[in-house]
Amino acid sequence: MSDLGGKIETFFKYLIDYKNYETVLLGLRNTLTIAVCGLLIGIVIGSAIATLKVAGSRSRVVHAVAYIGDAYTGLFRGTPIIVQLIVFHFIVFRGSGIDSLLEAVIVFGLNSGAYVAEIMRGGILSVDIGQTEAGRSLGLSYTTTMIKVVIPQAIKNVVPTLGNELIALTKDTSVAGYVATMDLNAAIGIISGATYDYIVPYLFLALVYLILVVLITVLIRFAERRLRKSERR
Amino acid sequence: MKDAETASVRKSKKRQAKPKFIKTEKTPVEPFDPEALIEVQHLTKKFGEQVVLDDISEKIVQGEKVAVIGPSGSGKSTFLRCLNMLEDPTDGYVFFEGNNLCDYRIDINVQRRRMGMVFQQFNLFNNMNVLKNITLAPVHIGMRALRRAQRKNFLIKAGNLFRPAAKKKPLLSVRTSKKEIKADAEADAMRLLERIGLADKAGAYPSTLSGGQRQRIAIVRALAMNPKVMLFDEPTSALDPEMVGEVLALIRELAEEGMTMVIVTHEMGFAREVATRVMFMDGGKIVEQGAPAEIFGSPKNERLQDFLSKVL
C-alpha cells in the first residue's frame, strides 16, 4: 500500500503521456455503442417475440414462430455471454471478415433480446386488454394495433426495467474483449498489462463504469418523465 | 393466352374452395336473408363448460335500434361482442351485409370498419391525444390503400415497358398523398368534435378528460369510420350519474339520424324512448322481444316481469 501514490503516478503516465487515453476513449465509445445498439436491437427482437407470444393467434405459423422464440429465449438466457461471443466469432461469422464491433453489437443485441422479450411480455400484459379491443374494433389489424397502440404504452410501463437492462448490458460489455473488440475493459487491460499493476487501472475502470451508470440513471429518469407526460398533464 | 385462361380458372376454383370456419361447427349454414343487415344463426358461445349464449337466431335490419336488456350474466355483452367477432363463437354464424364473419376467408378487419363499437370503459388510446385517437384508423387505412395503389401502378409501369404501344395499360389514379389523407381525416375529426362541442379538447390527452367527454369522443372515434351499424356495450354504466345525460343525448341524436344500432343498456327509460325493438335476454337466450311499449307495458314472460319489477 505504501507505493500506491507511485502506482497511480505510473498509471496516469501510461494513460496520458503514452497516449493510451486514445485507446481508452475508443473503448468507451465502443462500450456505449455496444450497450445502446444492443439494447435497441433487443427491444425490436423482444417486442416481436413478446407480441407473438401474447397473440393467442389461431394461425399455426404464429404458434411455430412463438415456439422458436421460446427456444431462442431459453438458449440465450441459459448460456454465458462469453460462450455466445466465442461461438459467433469462431463459428457463425468465421471468415466473413465482419467488423468485430458489429459482431459484438449483434451478439449483445441477440442476448438482450432474450431478456427484453420477457420484460416486454410483462409490459404488454400490463396494458389494458380494452386498448387492443378498441383498436381491433376500428378495423386495425392485430399487428397495427400492437405497433401503434399497445407497444408504445408497454414501453412506457417497462422503462425502469429497460433501464436496468441497459445498465446490466453496459457492464456486460466488459467481456467483448474476448473477441478482439476494443471495449473499455480491454483498453484498461492494455495499461495494466504494461505496468504489471492491476489495482489502480481496474479501480479507475470501476470509476468510469460508475460514472456511466449514474449518467444512464439520470437519462432514464428524464426519459421516463417525458413519457409520462400524457398521464400528468 | 390459353395459359392465362387456365390460370384464371384455377384462381376462381381456389376462390370457390370449401369455406373454412372458425372452430369446429356442426350446424350447416342456412341461406342469408338479403333484407337483414346483421343476421345471427344458431349462435352459441361456451366458456369451458359454461354456456353463455345458447343457440340464438336473430335478424337486425337497416335502421333498427335494438336495445338489449337483461340481468347481469345473461350474455348481453357476449352477444354484442360476437357480432363483430371480438369473441369467437363456439357454434353458429354471424352475417354482416351478406358476409359470413365466421369464415376465415373474410377479412374481418375490413368488415369491422363498417361496425362501430363503443365500450363500457371508453378504451380511448391513452398514448395519443384526442385528435390522434380519432384519426388513427382513417389515416392508417387511407395510407394502406394509397400504398397498395402505388405498388400496383409500379407493376403496371414495369409491365408497360414490355407491352407494345397500343396495348399499354392505363395507370390507376392515385388522387391523394399522405398529407392530403391526414388533412382530410383531421378536418373530418374536427367537424365531428365541433358537433359534440369538444373541438377545444383536440390536443388533450384522454386522462385529462371527464368520463362523459371520453365516452362522447369514443363514440365520435367510431363514427369517423362511417360505420353502417353502431354497437354500444353499456355505454353509460361506468359514468357518473350527471354525465349519463350528455352521452345518451348524443346516442339519441344518432338514432334520430337513422343510424342502425344495437345497445346493451341498463337505462330502461332510454331503451323505452329510443329503441324500435327491445330484447330481453336471460340465461343466454332471448326470452322475449318486441316493441318497447309491449315489453315495458305488458310483459308476458315471468322472468321479464320479475326483472322489470326490480329495475323500474
Side-chain angles (χ1 to χ4, degrees), chain B residues 101-119:
Chain B
L101 299 186
C102 299
D103 190 341
Y104 267 123
R105 298 167 306 160
I106 295 283
D107 186 351
I108 187 69
N109 295 327
V110 175
Q111 303 303 324
R112 277 182 184 147
R113 281 166 210 164
R114 316 289 291 153
M115 316 173 102
M117 178 131 185
V118 176
F119 299 88

Side-chain angles (χ1 to χ4, degrees), chain A residues 58 128 130-131 133-141 144 148-149 152-153 230-231 233, chain B residues 81 88 104 109 112-113 115 119 123-128 136 140 205 207-208 221 225:
Chain A
R58 293 184 218 101
D128 182 22
Q131 299 282 317
E133 283 177 357
R136 296 307 309 273
S137 78
L138 285 169
L140 302 174
S141 70
T144 315
K148 298 250 172 174
V149 179
Q153 294 182 47
S230 69
E231 282 174 22
R233 221 203 298 175
Chain B
R81 289 158 60 83
D88 292 342
Y104 267 123
N109 295 327
R112 277 182 184 147
R113 281 166 210 164
M115 316 173 102
F119 299 88
N123 292 345
L124 290 179
F125 304 135
N126 294 327
N127 56 334
M128 301 172 188
L136 173 72
H140 181 77
Y205 281 90
S207 52
T208 63
R221 177 177 69 178
M225 303 294 292

Side-chain angles (χ1 to χ4, degrees), chain B:
Chain B
M1 207 51 209
K2 209 190 164 197
D3 273 357
E5 250 167 49
T6 48
S8 77
V9 165
R10 214 179 300 144
K11 236 184 190 174
S12 67
K13 258 189 190 160
K14 208 173 177 186
R15 248 180 239 138
Q16 284 161 12
K18 234 181 156 187
K20 235 174 114 185
F21 293 118
I22 292 166
K23 305 278 157 98
T24 45
E25 308 193 22
K26 291 148 273 173
T27 38
V29 191
E30 286 161 23
F32 165 72
D33 177 6
E35 299 256 304
L37 184 65
I38 298 177
E39 181 175 344
V40 176
Q41 291 178 358
H42 304 293
L43 185 65
T44 302
K45 174 74 186 173
K46 290 176 191 162
F47 290 117
E49 286 295 294
Q50 191 194 357
V51 182
V52 183
L53 294 179
D54 191 4
D55 196 20
I56 294 179
S57 297
E58 206 38 71
K59 280 171 199 166
I60 295 163
V61 296
Q62 180 107 38
E64 243 186 330
K65 294 116 187 65
V66 181
V68 186
I69 59 171
S72 53
S74 59
K76 307 184 298 286
S77 283
T78 313
F79 172 67
L80 196 74
R81 289 158 60 83
C82 278
L83 291 185
N84 72 351
M85 294 290 122
L86 279 182
E87 302 283 357
D88 292 342
T90 317
D91 196 358
Y93 306 94
V94 178
F95 286 90
F96 176 60
E97 290 186 303
N99 295 310
N100 189 344
L101 299 186
C102 299
D103 190 341
Y104 267 123
R105 298 167 306 160
I106 295 283
D107 186 351
I108 187 69
N109 295 327
V110 175
Q111 303 303 324
R112 277 182 184 147
R113 281 166 210 164
R114 316 289 291 153
M115 316 173 102
M117 178 131 185
V118 176
F119 299 88
Q120 186 178 358
Q121 300 294 341
F122 330 128
N123 292 345
L124 290 179
F125 304 135
N126 294 327
N127 56 334
M128 301 172 188
N129 63 27
V130 168
L131 190 65
K132 195 86 200 301
N133 255 290
I134 301 172
T135 55
L136 173 72
V139 168
H140 181 77
I141 287 153
M143 283 306 297
R144 261 185 63 159
L146 175 68
R147 257 179 260 135
R148 190 169 297 164
Q150 280 171 342
R151 219 177 302 140
K152 272 189 184 157
N153 270 353
F154 177 76
L155 288 177
I156 293 173
K157 262 187 208 165
N160 277 350
L161 290 178
F162 304 99
R163 291 198 184 93
K167 281 189 178 174
K168 293 239 190 262
K169 266 195 186 172
L171 294 181
L172 301 169
S173 63
V174 182
R175 299 174 286 103
T176 44
S177 63
K178 184 179 179 178
K179 255 188 196 158
E180 274 178 55
I181 290 175
K182 230 179 148 185
D184 275 0
E186 271 170 19
D188 207 33
M190 285 314 290
R191 192 176 50 71
L192 286 164
L193 280 176
E194 216 120 281
R195 177 182 162 173
I196 58 169
L198 289 175
D200 55 323
K201 299 281 185 193
Y205 281 90
S207 52
T208 63
L209 302 174
S210 75
Q213 288 171 334
R214 282 190 227 180
Q215 190 62 297
R216 282 187 291 154
I217 286 162
I219 293 173
V220 157
R221 177 177 69 178
L223 284 179
M225 303 294 292
N226 296 318
K228 280 220 131 176
V229 54
M230 289 284 284
L231 311 174
F232 292 92
D233 188 1
E234 303 193 19
T236 57
S237 297
L239 292 176
D240 290 345
E242 53 174 336
M243 288 167 182
V244 170
E246 57 188 80
V247 172
L248 291 185
L250 178 60
I251 299 174
R252 191 173 298 139
E253 214 174 289
L254 285 176
E256 277 159 17
E257 282 169 23
M259 175 72 78
T260 315
M261 44 177 88
V262 185
I263 313 168
V264 172
T265 186
H266 289 298
E267 301 282 334
M268 294 305 149
F270 178 74
R272 185 174 204 162
E273 195 183 327
V274 170
T276 55
R277 178 153 60 116
V278 178
M279 280 180 194
F280 174 68
M281 283 186 73
D282 187 38
K285 280 188 169 150
I286 297 172
V287 181
E288 189 172 341
Q289 60 170 312
E294 210 177 294
I295 290 282
F296 293 109
S298 54
K300 292 178 197 75
N301 187 280
E302 210 173 288
R303 280 289 300 139
L304 177 56
Q305 285 165 359
D306 187 34
F307 175 72
L308 288 177
S309 72
K310 274 181 197 150
V311 276
L312 285 179

